[in-house]
Amino acid sequence: MLLQIIPDTMVQVADTLATATETITEAAPEVVEMNYLDMAMKGGPAIMIPLLILSIIAVYIFIERLVVIHKASKEDKDFMNRIKDYITEGQIESATKLCQTTNTPSARMIEKGISRLGKPMNDVLVAIENVGNIETTKLEKGFTMLATISGGAPMLGFLGTVLGMVQAFFDMANAGNNVDITVLSDGIYTAMITTVAGLIVGIVAYFAYNYLVSKLDNVVQKMELKTMEFMDLLNEPIK
């Protein structure tokens, strides 16, 4: 008799545990993972599309300017030595052709200086500096737009947040006594997305701008060094 009761009791305990497990499973909240694509879509097209366009423009400017500045930074280590040999030997035409084939900002500056040989040293220096300023301006093309994006994108995102908050509170006001906390939370969630997107675009553009400025500074330093070497060459006494 006792042996028969024990199995029945074990079956009842097993059924109880199974029922409890099912209850806990049903009561457990469903884990919702954040989907960044869905989050971006909830930001609204009025703000998110302009931010997307600005991000594309920023990436394009960064890559295009980086390639141009990288090409401008390349230099032939023997360039100035060959220029010196040509000038001391009186081969002005050969020196000019060398500058034209080198095709760098520094070479174009030296070419202008060579074209001014025979004139006062100050005139030669001014001509070289003028070409240097023009070359620097060409290399800076797009920098203003990139700087504008770095400052304007966060402001545009903040504008989207303000508009979203206004809409959320407007919906709450119209809801009357049937205000649901989810209405406010969903509105704030949607509004904050534009701020996050604007900050991301602005931060990326800001670092890209400063990186390009640092690369340009290196090119300008090389241009100044070449100018000094050329002027020293002209000031050397004729042997």
Side-chain angles (χ1 to χ4, degrees):
M1 184 68 177
L2 180 59
L3 295 176
Q4 184 177 1
I5 294 175
I6 292 175
D8 294 340
T9 305
M10 293 178 63
V11 171
Q12 293 177 0
V13 172
D15 293 340
T16 304
L17 291 175
T19 303
T21 303
E22 292 178 359
T23 304
I24 294 174
T25 303
E26 293 176 357
E30 182 181 356
V31 178
V32 179
E33 295 183 357
M34 181 177 294
N35 188 312
Y36 291 101
L37 180 60
D38 293 341
M39 184 176 67
M41 295 298 293
K42 285 183 67 66
I47 299 297
M48 298 301 292
I49 290 179
L51 287 176
L52 177 62
I53 294 174
L54 291 178
S55 65
I56 294 174
I57 294 174
V59 171
Y60 171 78
I61 293 175
F62 174 72
I63 296 176
E64 189 268 340
R65 286 294 93 189
L66 186 62
V67 172
V68 172
I69 294 175
H70 179 70
K71 290 181 179 180
S73 64
K74 291 184 177 180
E75 60 179 7
D76 183 1
K77 295 182 179 179
D78 296 329
F79 174 75
M80 289 306 300
N81 292 330
R82 296 174 64 184
I83 291 293
K84 179 179 180 180
D85 293 338
Y86 285 140
I87 291 179
T88 53
E89 295 173 2
Q91 301 180 21
I92 305 302
E93 184 177 352
S94 297
T96 301
K97 290 182 178 179
L98 176 60
C99 294
Q100 293 173 349
T101 55
T102 303
N103 192 26
T104 62
S106 299
R108 285 187 282 272
M109 293 170 60
I110 301 303
E111 181 184 0
K112 177 60 69 172
I114 293 175
S115 67
R116 293 294 189 272
L117 289 179
K119 295 187 177 181
M121 298 296 293
N122 187 58
D123 292 346
V124 176
L125 180 59
V126 170
I128 294 175
E129 289 179 345
N130 289 337
V131 174
N133 292 333
I134 294 174
E135 293 294 331
T136 302
T137 302
K138 291 180 180 178
L139 293 175
E140 289 177 340
K141 180 182 178 181
F143 278 30
T144 302
M145 175 61 72
L146 196 58
T148 302
I149 293 174
S150 68
M155 297 177 64
L156 184 61
F158 183 68
L159 173 62
T161 296
V162 173
L163 294 176
M165 293 293 292
V166 170
Q167 183 64 44
F169 284 107
F170 176 79
D171 294 338
M172 288 184 62
N174 289 335
N177 296 328
N178 299 322
V179 176
D180 188 357
I181 189 63
T182 58
V183 175
L184 179 61
S185 61
D186 185 66
I188 295 176
Y189 164 72
T190 301
M192 294 300 293
I193 291 174
T194 58
T195 295
V196 174
L199 286 173
I200 292 174
V201 175
I203 290 172
V204 171
Y206 176 77
F207 281 107
Y209 171 79
N210 283 279
Y211 180 77
L212 291 178
V213 169
S214 65
K215 299 292 288 185
L216 179 60
D217 288 341
N218 293 333
V219 175
V220 172
Q221 290 177 4
K222 292 180 181 180
M223 293 165 60
E224 293 176 348
L225 180 61
K226 291 293 188 296
T227 301
M228 294 175 60
E229 292 182 13
F230 182 74
M231 296 306 297
D232 290 340
L233 171 62
L234 298 183
N235 287 322
E236 288 182 359
I238 300 176
K239 297 181 180 179

